[in-house]
Amino acid sequence: MKRVGEKELNQRKQIVDSLYSLLENSRYTSEKESIMKRFIFEKENLEEFTQKFSEEESSKIWQRIRSYAPGFSKEKGYRIVLGMQPNETVLYGDENNDVTNDFLKYINDKYEGNK
């Protein structure tokens, strides 16, 4: 899958490069305008594809990392493994460490002025 994406990325880059070359070598204004429009269109498509491809590949990597975290934790005896991404702060946490209910009770009590 990655190779297919990389192949398409390279093909799109070649199109943009060839259009740029045509643009530089064109002598006629009307021809340049047509080539410029196509160049802009293809360059925007390339940027959009590159962004999407990068996000998909990054997502696949993080999925694999998350799948390894429980085994690593158990093998090493860790109860929590922290991630490096802003939206992936905890990759693995032992259920015995889950204090969500205690925390919810605490904040509700504080909000209600009970403690």
Side-chain angles (χ1 to χ4, degrees):
M1 204 56 184
K2 182 180 178 185
R3 289 184 189 189
V4 171
E6 287 174 346
K7 183 178 179 183
E8 186 173 346
L9 180 64
N10 288 332
Q11 288 172 342
R12 288 174 184 246
K13 282 181 183 178
Q14 287 176 342
I15 291 171
V16 170
D17 289 345
S18 66
L19 286 169
Y20 183 75
S21 179
L22 282 173
L23 193 59
E24 284 187 324
N25 296 324
S26 177
R27 294 184 183 150
Y28 305 105
T29 306
S30 62
E31 188 179 63
K32 276 190 172 189
E33 287 177 15
S34 173
I35 295 170
M36 179 60 88
K37 287 179 184 177
R38 178 117 190 267
F39 173 77
I40 291 169
F41 175 79
E42 293 295 342
K43 188 167 186 320
E44 288 172 353
N45 281 344
L46 172 62
E47 289 169 357
E48 184 179 310
F49 180 83
T50 301
Q51 178 70 29
K52 184 178 176 184
F53 180 70
S54 176
E55 288 171 1
E56 288 173 357
E57 290 303 308
S58 181
S59 176
K60 289 176 191 174
I61 291 167
W62 277 102
Q63 282 178 314
R64 183 167 288 175
I65 289 171
R66 279 191 303 275
S67 74
Y68 295 156
F72 173 78
S73 301
K74 289 176 183 159
E75 184 178 307
K76 299 291 184 178
Y78 298 138
R79 295 187 300 181
I80 192 166
V81 176
L82 302 177
M84 299 289 290
Q85 299 283 75
N87 59 345
E88 293 284 343
T89 53
V90 177
L91 292 176
Y92 172 80
D94 186 324
E95 291 179 16
N96 295 326
N97 293 332
D98 187 353
V99 295
T100 305
N101 291 331
D102 292 340
F103 183 61
L104 289 173
K105 183 179 180 336
Y106 176 82
I107 61 175
N108 285 330
D109 287 344
K110 283 286 193 184
Y111 179 76
E112 293 170 6
N114 294 334
K115 290 187 179 183

